[in-house]
Amino acid sequence: MNKASELAVVAVDPTLVLLTVEEAARRLGIGRTTCFRLVSTGELESVTVGRLRRVPVAALPVYVATLRRAALAA
């Protein structure tokens, strides 16, 4: 397998309750910029810890459920 075809494997710590925006984006399968936009518009819940912006793990299934409801209503 060459370097271009190798997949990066990222360990997921199931004990984390807060994720960085990048970690949340990875779990949702979306881009980092898109995830930052969702956080800034309030579509994806986030909290501030000191100067850091974090996404609660519980906010991810809430966001996905919102997307599913919107898709079913359309």
Side-chain angles (χ1 to χ4, degrees), residues 1-73:
M1 188 180 277
N2 64 30
K3 291 204 183 260
S5 65
E6 290 179 19
L7 295 176
V9 177
V10 179
V12 175
D13 183 352
T15 63
L16 290 177
V17 294
L18 295 174
L19 305 171
T20 64
V21 175
E22 290 86 353
E23 290 168 334
R26 195 174 312 117
R27 287 196 186 186
L28 289 170
I30 61 176
R32 177 182 168 275
T33 304
T34 301
C35 197
F36 271 105
R37 183 179 48 77
L38 293 172
V39 165
S40 69
T41 62
E43 293 179 70
L44 180 60
E45 179 190 356
S46 67
V47 296
T48 303
V49 180
R51 294 175 55 194
L52 305 173
R53 177 64 52 186
R54 294 293 184 253
V55 177
V57 171
L60 301 182
V62 171
Y63 173 70
V64 172
T66 302
L67 292 177
R68 294 181 73 187
R69 276 194 302 275
L72 290 174

